[in-house]
Amino acid sequence: MDSPKIGGIACVDWSTGSLVGPNARESVKTLGQMRGLFQNQNEFERMDLNTIIYRVQWLAPVPDGTEGGLFWGTTVIEPGRVGDEYFMTHGHFHAKRDRAEYYGCLEGKGMLIMMDTARRTWAECMEPGSLHYIPGNVAHRVANAGETQLKLTACWPSDAGHDYAAIRQEGFGARLLARNGESVLVPTR
Ligand code: 6PG
Ligand code: NI
């Protein structure tokens, strides 16, 4: 048997969540790929659509959709705003709605915004060391309310999948906005 150079499927820098190794995959989300998600359309159109909003690195040791497996990933959200609204992830329900997930904050500060299938929306503060359990049937999105990158690590079932359409069409029931220098979760209607 080949002896691996590192003792596992990849190497993680536990302070930043950064994954290194041939199995680590990566994706980048630019502002242009998030059209329609931020409240202020005019401000959105005035900004550079190539601006990177967040990056995801992840490990998929089994094929996507495999029942019983687990994926691991790290998301790095840049600081910034579109108008009053903080840079954030797209947000999703899992395609298999009842699949849960863990999020842990490594660096930076922000909010984990969650919404159930009845559109009830709430949030938890993310700061280094905070660990968050996202129950099944709950959509999740992270907004960076700080002035530095927000880094979070996550673990989710390999058959969870992503349903982005519901969020693209209806959004969450609240948005994280800057109000007098504070971040406030403001209901959308
Ligand atoms: C998942 C996780 C997480 C998430 C990223 C980016 O289910 O895969 O929740 O890895 O995908 O933080 O967020 P979006 O998937 O909403 O773009
Ligand atoms: Ni998820």
Side-chain angles (χ1 to χ4, degrees), residues 89-112:
T89 58
H90 186 294
H92 58 271
F93 283 100
H94 288 148
K96 276 207 172 134
R97 281 285 196 283
D98 67 354
R99 296 312 196 243
E101 182 163 3
Y102 276 112
Y103 274 7
C105 183
L106 301 167
E107 238 185 80
K109 70 164 196 172
M111 286 284 204
L112 164 59

PDB file of all heavy atoms in Angstrom, residues 89-112:
ATOM      1  N   THR A  89     -23.204  34.679   1.379  1.00  0.00           N
ATOM      2  CA  THR A  89     -23.274  33.538   0.466  1.00  0.00           C
ATOM      3  C   THR A  89     -24.645  33.545  -0.230  1.00  0.00           C
ATOM      4  O   THR A  89     -25.570  34.218   0.229  1.00  0.00           O
ATOM      5  CB  THR A  89     -23.081  32.207   1.217  1.00  0.00           C
ATOM      6  OG1 THR A  89     -24.082  32.096   2.236  1.00  0.00           O
ATOM      7  CG2 THR A  89     -21.695  32.125   1.848  1.00  0.00           C
ATOM      8  N   HIS A  90     -24.752  32.786  -1.304  1.00  0.00           N
ATOM      9  CA  HIS A  90     -26.036  32.669  -2.018  1.00  0.00           C
ATOM     10  C   HIS A  90     -27.119  32.214  -1.054  1.00  0.00           C
ATOM     11  O   HIS A  90     -28.184  32.815  -0.945  1.00  0.00           O
ATOM     12  CB  HIS A  90     -25.873  31.667  -3.164  1.00  0.00           C
ATOM     13  CG  HIS A  90     -27.058  31.553  -4.054  1.00  0.00           C
ATOM     14  ND1 HIS A  90     -28.267  31.035  -3.611  1.00  0.00           N
ATOM     15  CD2 HIS A  90     -27.244  31.880  -5.350  1.00  0.00           C
ATOM     16  CE1 HIS A  90     -29.133  31.068  -4.608  1.00  0.00           C
ATOM     17  NE2 HIS A  90     -28.530  31.577  -5.676  1.00  0.00           N
ATOM     18  N   GLY A  91     -26.808  31.135  -0.328  1.00  0.00           N
ATOM     19  CA  GLY A  91     -27.782  30.538   0.596  1.00  0.00           C
ATOM     20  C   GLY A  91     -28.611  29.483  -0.119  1.00  0.00           C
ATOM     21  O   GLY A  91     -28.871  29.585  -1.318  1.00  0.00           O
ATOM     22  N   HIS A  92     -28.993  28.447   0.618  1.00  0.00           N
ATOM     23  CA  HIS A  92     -29.730  27.323   0.015  1.00  0.00           C
ATOM     24  C   HIS A  92     -30.447  26.493   1.071  1.00  0.00           C
ATOM     25  O   HIS A  92     -30.062  26.497   2.232  1.00  0.00           O
ATOM     26  CB  HIS A  92     -28.753  26.421  -0.753  1.00  0.00           C
ATOM     27  CG  HIS A  92     -27.647  25.885   0.114  1.00  0.00           C
ATOM     28  ND1 HIS A  92     -26.456  26.545   0.308  1.00  0.00           N
ATOM     29  CD2 HIS A  92     -27.561  24.756   0.877  1.00  0.00           C
ATOM     30  CE1 HIS A  92     -25.686  25.856   1.129  1.00  0.00           C
ATOM     31  NE2 HIS A  92     -26.331  24.764   1.501  1.00  0.00           N
ATOM     32  N   PHE A  93     -31.471  25.792   0.614  1.00  0.00           N
ATOM     33  CA  PHE A  93     -31.955  24.611   1.322  1.00  0.00           C
ATOM     34  C   PHE A  93     -31.132  23.456   0.761  1.00  0.00           C
ATOM     35  O   PHE A  93     -30.641  23.518  -0.366  1.00  0.00           O
ATOM     36  CB  PHE A  93     -33.429  24.327   0.985  1.00  0.00           C
ATOM     37  CG  PHE A  93     -34.415  25.214   1.686  1.00  0.00           C
ATOM     38  CD1 PHE A  93     -34.979  26.298   1.025  1.00  0.00           C
ATOM     39  CD2 PHE A  93     -34.814  24.941   2.989  1.00  0.00           C
ATOM     40  CE1 PHE A  93     -35.910  27.119   1.667  1.00  0.00           C
ATOM     41  CE2 PHE A  93     -35.753  25.748   3.635  1.00  0.00           C
ATOM     42  CZ  PHE A  93     -36.294  26.842   2.977  1.00  0.00           C
ATOM     43  N   HIS A  94     -31.021  22.374   1.491  1.00  0.00           N
ATOM     44  CA  HIS A  94     -30.444  21.183   0.889  1.00  0.00           C
ATOM     45  C   HIS A  94     -31.506  20.564  -0.015  1.00  0.00           C
ATOM     46  O   HIS A  94     -32.712  20.651   0.255  1.00  0.00           O
ATOM     47  CB  HIS A  94     -29.966  20.215   1.974  1.00  0.00           C
ATOM     48  CG  HIS A  94     -28.728  20.730   2.664  1.00  0.00           C
ATOM     49  ND1 HIS A  94     -28.442  20.489   3.972  1.00  0.00           N
ATOM     50  CD2 HIS A  94     -27.712  21.492   2.185  1.00  0.00           C
ATOM     51  CE1 HIS A  94     -27.294  21.084   4.280  1.00  0.00           C
ATOM     52  NE2 HIS A  94     -26.834  21.705   3.214  1.00  0.00           N
ATOM     53  N   ALA A  95     -31.062  19.982  -1.130  1.00  0.00           N
ATOM     54  CA  ALA A  95     -32.004  19.379  -2.081  1.00  0.00           C
ATOM     55  C   ALA A  95     -32.770  18.266  -1.364  1.00  0.00           C
ATOM     56  O   ALA A  95     -33.984  18.131  -1.528  1.00  0.00           O
ATOM     57  CB  ALA A  95     -31.253  18.858  -3.301  1.00  0.00           C
ATOM     58  N   LYS A  96     -32.047  17.472  -0.587  1.00  0.00           N
ATOM     59  CA  LYS A  96     -32.723  16.548   0.344  1.00  0.00           C
ATOM     60  C   LYS A  96     -32.967  17.386   1.587  1.00  0.00           C
ATOM     61  O   LYS A  96     -32.071  17.571   2.420  1.00  0.00           O
ATOM     62  CB  LYS A  96     -31.856  15.326   0.651  1.00  0.00           C
ATOM     63  CG  LYS A  96     -31.978  14.255  -0.388  1.00  0.00           C
ATOM     64  CD  LYS A  96     -31.700  12.860   0.155  1.00  0.00           C
ATOM     65  CE  LYS A  96     -32.041  11.845  -0.918  1.00  0.00           C
ATOM     66  NZ  LYS A  96     -31.040  10.811  -1.108  1.00  0.00           N
ATOM     67  N   ARG A  97     -34.185  17.920   1.675  1.00  0.00           N
ATOM     68  CA  ARG A  97     -34.515  18.970   2.636  1.00  0.00           C
ATOM     69  C   ARG A  97     -34.154  18.661   4.087  1.00  0.00           C
ATOM     70  O   ARG A  97     -33.835  19.545   4.867  1.00  0.00           O
ATOM     71  CB  ARG A  97     -36.022  19.257   2.589  1.00  0.00           C
ATOM     72  CG  ARG A  97     -36.462  20.135   1.443  1.00  0.00           C
ATOM     73  CD  ARG A  97     -36.060  21.573   1.727  1.00  0.00           C
ATOM     74  NE  ARG A  97     -36.759  22.531   0.881  1.00  0.00           N
ATOM     75  CZ  ARG A  97     -36.478  22.773  -0.386  1.00  0.00           C
ATOM     76  NH1 ARG A  97     -35.500  22.122  -0.968  1.00  0.00           N
ATOM     77  NH2 ARG A  97     -37.168  23.670  -1.066  1.00  0.00           N
ATOM     78  N   ASP A  98     -34.259  17.390   4.464  1.00  0.00           N
ATOM     79  CA  ASP A  98     -34.096  17.089   5.894  1.00  0.00           C
ATOM     80  C   ASP A  98     -32.635  16.936   6.315  1.00  0.00           C
ATOM     81  O   ASP A  98     -32.361  16.613   7.469  1.00  0.00           O
ATOM     82  CB  ASP A  98     -34.902  15.837   6.276  1.00  0.00           C
ATOM     83  CG  ASP A  98     -34.362  14.570   5.624  1.00  0.00           C
ATOM     84  OD1 ASP A  98     -33.429  14.661   4.786  1.00  0.00           O
ATOM     85  OD2 ASP A  98     -34.860  13.487   5.955  1.00  0.00           O
ATOM     86  N   ARG A  99     -31.696  17.195   5.403  1.00  0.00           N
ATOM     87  CA  ARG A  99     -30.284  17.009   5.762  1.00  0.00           C
ATOM     88  C   ARG A  99     -29.745  18.199   6.559  1.00  0.00           C
ATOM     89  O   ARG A  99     -29.906  19.350   6.160  1.00  0.00           O
ATOM     90  CB  ARG A  99     -29.425  16.794   4.515  1.00  0.00           C
ATOM     91  CG  ARG A  99     -29.759  15.524   3.728  1.00  0.00           C
ATOM     92  CD  ARG A  99     -29.869  14.308   4.626  1.00  0.00           C
ATOM     93  NE  ARG A  99     -29.826  13.058   3.892  1.00  0.00           N
ATOM     94  CZ  ARG A  99     -30.813  12.174   3.836  1.00  0.00           C
ATOM     95  NH1 ARG A  99     -31.954  12.388   4.461  1.00  0.00           N
ATOM     96  NH2 ARG A  99     -30.660  11.053   3.166  1.00  0.00           N
ATOM     97  N   ALA A 100     -29.104  17.891   7.679  1.00  0.00           N
ATOM     98  CA  ALA A 100     -28.570  18.911   8.592  1.00  0.00           C
ATOM     99  C   ALA A 100     -27.116  19.237   8.243  1.00  0.00           C
ATOM    100  O   ALA A 100     -26.544  18.658   7.305  1.00  0.00           O
ATOM    101  CB  ALA A 100     -28.673  18.397  10.019  1.00  0.00           C
ATOM    102  N   GLU A 101     -26.521  20.159   8.980  1.00  0.00           N
ATOM    103  CA  GLU A 101     -25.141  20.576   8.696  1.00  0.00           C
ATOM    104  C   GLU A 101     -24.543  21.269   9.923  1.00  0.00           C
ATOM    105  O   GLU A 101     -25.277  21.873  10.704  1.00  0.00           O
ATOM    106  CB  GLU A 101     -25.159  21.543   7.506  1.00  0.00           C
ATOM    107  CG  GLU A 101     -23.787  22.029   7.067  1.00  0.00           C
ATOM    108  CD  GLU A 101     -23.788  22.638   5.672  1.00  0.00           C
ATOM    109  OE1 GLU A 101     -24.854  22.739   5.043  1.00  0.00           O
ATOM    110  OE2 GLU A 101     -22.696  23.014   5.218  1.00  0.00           O
ATOM    111  N   TYR A 102     -23.212  21.167  10.073  1.00  0.00           N
ATOM    112  CA  TYR A 102     -22.488  21.961  11.072  1.00  0.00           C
ATOM    113  C   TYR A 102     -21.735  23.089  10.389  1.00  0.00           C
ATOM    114  O   TYR A 102     -21.121  22.866   9.325  1.00  0.00           O
ATOM    115  CB  TYR A 102     -21.430  21.103  11.788  1.00  0.00           C
ATOM    116  CG  TYR A 102     -21.949  20.282  12.940  1.00  0.00           C
ATOM    117  CD1 TYR A 102     -21.983  18.897  12.859  1.00  0.00           C
ATOM    118  CD2 TYR A 102     -22.368  20.900  14.113  1.00  0.00           C
ATOM    119  CE1 TYR A 102     -22.446  18.136  13.917  1.00  0.00           C
ATOM    120  CE2 TYR A 102     -22.837  20.138  15.175  1.00  0.00           C
ATOM    121  CZ  TYR A 102     -22.872  18.770  15.071  1.00  0.00           C
ATOM    122  OH  TYR A 102     -23.323  18.016  16.120  1.00  0.00           O
ATOM    123  N   TYR A 103     -21.748  24.285  10.992  1.00  0.00           N
ATOM    124  CA  TYR A 103     -20.874  25.383  10.588  1.00  0.00           C
ATOM    125  C   TYR A 103     -20.048  25.776  11.820  1.00  0.00           C
ATOM    126  O   TYR A 103     -20.599  25.837  12.929  1.00  0.00           O
ATOM    127  CB  TYR A 103     -21.671  26.629  10.175  1.00  0.00           C
ATOM    128  CG  TYR A 103     -22.152  26.700   8.734  1.00  0.00           C
ATOM    129  CD1 TYR A 103     -22.018  25.641   7.855  1.00  0.00           C
ATOM    130  CD2 TYR A 103     -22.755  27.870   8.265  1.00  0.00           C
ATOM    131  CE1 TYR A 103     -22.475  25.737   6.548  1.00  0.00           C
ATOM    132  CE2 TYR A 103     -23.218  27.973   6.955  1.00  0.00           C
ATOM    133  CZ  TYR A 103     -23.076  26.895   6.097  1.00  0.00           C
ATOM    134  OH  TYR A 103     -23.535  26.992   4.812  1.00  0.00           O
ATOM    135  N   GLY A 104     -18.779  26.081  11.602  1.00  0.00           N
ATOM    136  CA  GLY A 104     -17.940  26.589  12.693  1.00  0.00           C
ATOM    137  C   GLY A 104     -17.180  27.807  12.207  1.00  0.00           C
ATOM    138  O   GLY A 104     -16.595  27.794  11.123  1.00  0.00           O
ATOM    139  N   CYS A 105     -17.192  28.876  12.996  1.00  0.00           N
ATOM    140  CA  CYS A 105     -16.499  30.100  12.580  1.00  0.00           C
ATOM    141  C   CYS A 105     -15.041  30.055  13.040  1.00  0.00           C
ATOM    142  O   CYS A 105     -14.758  29.730  14.189  1.00  0.00           O
ATOM    143  CB  CYS A 105     -17.208  31.329  13.155  1.00  0.00           C
ATOM    144  SG  CYS A 105     -16.452  32.867  12.609  1.00  0.00           S
ATOM    145  N   LEU A 106     -14.143  30.362  12.116  1.00  0.00           N
ATOM    146  CA  LEU A 106     -12.706  30.333  12.398  1.00  0.00           C
ATOM    147  C   LEU A 106     -12.132  31.732  12.551  1.00  0.00           C
ATOM    148  O   LEU A 106     -11.257  31.972  13.379  1.00  0.00           O
ATOM    149  CB  LEU A 106     -11.975  29.610  11.262  1.00  0.00           C
ATOM    150  CG  LEU A 106     -12.425  28.175  11.010  1.00  0.00           C
ATOM    151  CD1 LEU A 106     -11.883  27.665   9.699  1.00  0.00           C
ATOM    152  CD2 LEU A 106     -11.990  27.283  12.158  1.00  0.00           C
ATOM    153  N   GLU A 107     -12.610  32.647  11.720  1.00  0.00           N
ATOM    154  CA  GLU A 107     -12.046  34.001  11.680  1.00  0.00           C
ATOM    155  C   GLU A 107     -13.112  34.978  11.242  1.00  0.00           C
ATOM    156  O   GLU A 107     -13.987  34.627  10.441  1.00  0.00           O
ATOM    157  CB  GLU A 107     -10.949  34.009  10.593  1.00  0.00           C
ATOM    158  CG  GLU A 107      -9.571  34.401  11.052  1.00  0.00           C
ATOM    159  CD  GLU A 107      -8.625  34.482   9.866  1.00  0.00           C
ATOM    160  OE1 GLU A 107      -8.644  35.497   9.144  1.00  0.00           O
ATOM    161  OE2 GLU A 107      -7.868  33.513   9.678  1.00  0.00           O
ATOM    162  N   GLY A 108     -13.056  36.196  11.746  1.00  0.00           N
ATOM    163  CA  GLY A 108     -13.969  37.241  11.312  1.00  0.00           C
ATOM    164  C   GLY A 108     -15.253  37.247  12.111  1.00  0.00           C
ATOM    165  O   GLY A 108     -15.401  36.516  13.102  1.00  0.00           O
ATOM    166  N   LYS A 109     -16.195  38.102  11.679  1.00  0.00           N
ATOM    167  CA  LYS A 109     -17.492  38.124  12.385  1.00  0.00           C
ATOM    168  C   LYS A 109     -18.638  38.341  11.408  1.00  0.00           C
ATOM    169  O   LYS A 109     -18.486  38.996  10.369  1.00  0.00           O
ATOM    170  CB  LYS A 109     -17.490  39.181  13.495  1.00  0.00           C
ATOM    171  CG  LYS A 109     -17.496  40.603  13.020  1.00  0.00           C
ATOM    172  CD  LYS A 109     -17.897  41.534  14.169  1.00  0.00           C
ATOM    173  CE  LYS A 109     -18.294  42.887  13.593  1.00  0.00           C
ATOM    174  NZ  LYS A 109     -18.856  43.797  14.543  1.00  0.00           N
ATOM    175  N   GLY A 110     -19.762  37.753  11.764  1.00  0.00           N
ATOM    176  CA  GLY A 110     -20.916  37.869  10.884  1.00  0.00           C
ATOM    177  C   GLY A 110     -22.116  37.174  11.477  1.00  0.00           C
ATOM    178  O   GLY A 110     -22.197  36.984  12.689  1.00  0.00           O
ATOM    179  N   MET A 111     -23.031  36.828  10.600  1.00  0.00           N
ATOM    180  CA  MET A 111     -24.278  36.202  11.038  1.00  0.00           C
ATOM    181  C   MET A 111     -24.588  35.002  10.165  1.00  0.00           C
ATOM    182  O   MET A 111     -24.470  35.082   8.931  1.00  0.00           O
ATOM    183  CB  MET A 111     -25.450  37.174  10.874  1.00  0.00           C
ATOM    184  CG  MET A 111     -25.482  38.268  11.893  1.00  0.00           C
ATOM    185  SD  MET A 111     -26.065  37.625  13.476  1.00  0.00           S
ATOM    186  CE  MET A 111     -26.673  39.126  14.167  1.00  0.00           C
ATOM    187  N   LEU A 112     -25.023  33.938  10.822  1.00  0.00           N
ATOM    188  CA  LEU A 112     -25.587  32.792  10.112  1.00  0.00           C
ATOM    189  C   LEU A 112     -27.092  33.019  10.082  1.00  0.00           C
ATOM    190  O   LEU A 112     -27.731  33.081  11.142  1.00  0.00           O
ATOM    191  CB  LEU A 112     -25.234  31.493  10.841  1.00  0.00           C
ATOM    192  CG  LEU A 112     -26.037  30.247  10.453  1.00  0.00           C
ATOM    193  CD1 LEU A 112     -25.888  29.931   8.965  1.00  0.00           C
ATOM    194  CD2 LEU A 112     -25.579  29.054  11.299  1.00  0.00           C
TER     195      LEU A 112
END
